[in-house]
Amino acid sequence: MAGPVLITGAGSGFGKEVALRLAAAGHRVIAGVEIVAQVSAVRAEARERGVELRVEKLDVTDPGDRENAWTWDVEVLLNNAGVSEGGATADIPEERLRRQFEVNVFGPVLLTQGIARRMAARRSGRIVFMSSVAGLTVDPFTGAYAASKHAVEAFADALDQEMAEFGVTVATINPGPFLTGFNDTMFETWKEWRDDPAGRLHDYAALSFPHEQYDPEPVYERTVRVLLGEDRRYRHLLPVEMEGQAREQVEAQWSREVNDGRRPALVRKAYDIAPGTPVRE
């Protein structure tokens, strides 16, 4: 690759591991992290693993940070930065809902605009969005997060069509439930709400992420391949064994009827499952 790979949200989770693996393979990497404290932390981990990469503060919601990133000659962009707000649609406070979209949608799209224009001028580049299976399907208590990822899917699809004639490709990564702490933390965001708990429809202290979770290794491996252009598919739903289930859920929307007044199975499971429950092999 002529230019570096820019990865946002590289201070933790998928973004950090993918950045370190690419650097270990000898690729030029810019790890964009949200806060200054993460800069030294990621640099320290890179030293421990014996790899070199560039770490920059890049809060995708900060206009100054975005404008600074536009000056970098990025060959590949991974829009990985994201947050997850759990809670019933009727309960989530306004400021939390707006934050969900600022971080997951508006920030990444605005960052992408400046980088995409430079790629178009150069007639080459690759833009990858870390979406989610929640960009295709929806579970109870994840409406805000899923809505933001549905929006990401729309922008990615449109961008792919709009950038084709300029030599720029677009792809999405759609992780399902992986055990990184991200999903479980989503079901703890209610602790930061500034509302009257007595007015809530659900008891959030009793709720957990309603799925068993997988080891994240397949996401790291596939994301690296997509960024390097070794995998040419547009969408990558992981783990692959969930693809059929996701297709069925999407198809079922065409024949779906209104609810029958009973608590759905996934709502019951959210009340019954323990946090961080792994998939049994």
Side-chain angles (χ1 to χ4, degrees), residues 57-77:
K57 178 185 176 296
L58 176 52
D59 177 350
V60 296
T61 68
D62 185 320
D65 284 2
R66 293 196 301 262
E67 290 176 11
N68 186 39
W70 291 344
T71 67
W72 306 333
D73 191 24
V74 174
E75 179 70 21
V76 181
L77 169 63

Side-chain angles (χ1 to χ4, degrees), residues 7 10 14-24 29-31 42 51 53:
I7 299 174
F14 294 147
K16 182 174 71 172
E17 182 61 27
V18 169
L20 291 169
R21 290 192 182 196
L22 282 170
V29 177
I30 303 176
V42 174
V51 302
L53 78 172

Side-chain angles (χ1 to χ4, degrees), residues 2 5 20 25 47 71 76 86 94 118 128-129 148 178 183 199 206 244 250:
V5 180
L20 291 169
R47 286 194 298 272
T71 67
V76 181
E94 177 183 353
R118 290 199 62 170
V128 180
F129 289 86
S148 73
F178 285 94
N183 298 313
V250 172

Side-chain angles (χ1 to χ4, degrees), residues 58-217:
L58 176 52
D59 177 350
V60 296
T61 68
D62 185 320
D65 284 2
R66 293 196 301 262
E67 290 176 11
N68 186 39
W70 291 344
T71 67
W72 306 333
D73 191 24
V74 174
E75 179 70 21
V76 181
L77 169 63
L78 173 59
N79 280 306
N80 172 76
V83 295
S84 53
E85 183 70 39
T89 303
D91 286 341
I92 297 175
E94 177 183 353
E95 68 273 13
R96 307 293 299 190
L97 185 59
R98 291 186 182 278
R99 174 67 175 169
Q100 178 74 91
F101 277 78
E102 289 291 345
V103 177
N104 287 19
V105 184
F106 301 132
V109 170
L110 293 171
L111 173 67
T112 298
Q113 286 182 339
I115 293 176
R117 287 194 290 267
R118 290 199 62 170
M119 289 179 174
R122 193 177 60 239
R123 298 281 170 169
S124 69
R126 184 173 301 112
I127 299 169
V128 180
F129 289 86
M130 185 63 76
S131 181
S132 171
V133 68
L136 309 173
T137 63
V138 186
D139 286 344
F141 311 113
T142 66
Y145 177 69
S148 73
K149 291 302 186 180
H150 274 65
V152 166
E153 289 287 327
F155 277 116
D157 196 336
L159 189 68
D160 182 49
Q161 299 175 64
E162 296 153 359
M163 299 300 292
E165 64 195 85
F166 299 102
V168 178
T169 61
V170 177
T172 70
I173 309 291
N174 297 74
F178 285 94
L179 194 52
T180 63
F182 186 84
N183 298 313
D184 296 304
T185 302
M186 176 176 10
F187 277 70
E188 297 180 0
T189 54
W190 60 272
K191 296 177 182 179
E192 300 175 23
W193 291 1
R194 294 179 296 175
D195 65 336
D196 180 4
R200 297 173 185 168
L201 297 181
H202 290 273
D203 178 7
Y204 293 103
L207 291 174
S208 298
F209 181 70
H211 293 282
E212 291 78 10
Q213 301 179 63
Y214 295 83
D215 182 279
E217 178 60 32

